[in-house]
Every structure is written in structure tokens, then in C-alpha cells.
Amino acid sequence: MDAGLCALGAGIAVGLGSLCSIGEGLVCSHAIDGMARNPEMVGQLRSNMIVAVALCESTAIYSLVVAILIIFLMGMPALAA
């Protein structure tokens, strides 16, 4: 496979994985809105927010791993063999 196409695929994987930051921002902003509207639920909202942000972040980490695998295993055939 052409090295340029591997770099393009890795760039797309990282680019789409970085969109998870938009989701993390939305989760945090809505959790803060909920905390401001209902102060009694701060503990439960905070724990749910942390779990949701961790799930979003794991998606970004998986996309980074996919990009690294694309570059090193498909981009360099000598390492794949």
C-alpha cells in the first residue's frame, strides 16, 4: 500500500477521533447547567459526567491507536512481515 494513502488514513482516524472533544465539551456544559439548576444532584451529576467524559476520551484514544497501527503496520511493510 502506498505510504501516502496510509498517512491519509491515519490523518482521517486522528481527525475523526479529535471530534470527541466536542462531545466532551457538550457533556461538561450540560452537566454544569444541571448542577446550577438542581444543586442537590451535584454528586450524582458529577459522577455521571466523569463516566461520560471517560467514554468519550476512550474513543479518542482508540482512534489514536488505529492511526498508529495504520502508520506502522500498513505504512512499513517490513515491520508487518
Side-chain angles (χ1 to χ4, degrees):
M1 184 179 271
D2 188 59
L5 290 177
C6 287
L8 182 66
I12 290 171
V14 169
L16 292 177
S18 66
L19 290 177
C20 294
S21 62
I22 295 172
E24 289 178 20
L26 288 174
V27 166
C28 291
S29 70
H30 290 297
I32 290 171
D33 286 342
M35 289 176 197
R37 292 179 186 197
N38 194 358
E40 296 89 24
M41 298 293 291
V42 169
Q44 186 177 4
L45 285 172
R46 185 181 298 131
S47 63
N48 288 339
M49 179 189 71
I50 290 172
V51 169
V53 168
L55 288 173
C56 290
E57 192 65 30
S58 68
T59 305
I61 291 171
Y62 289 146
S63 68
L64 179 64
V65 168
V66 166
I68 290 171
L69 288 174
I70 288 173
I71 289 173
F72 287 114
L73 294 182
M74 297 180 125
M76 299 179 188
L79 293 177

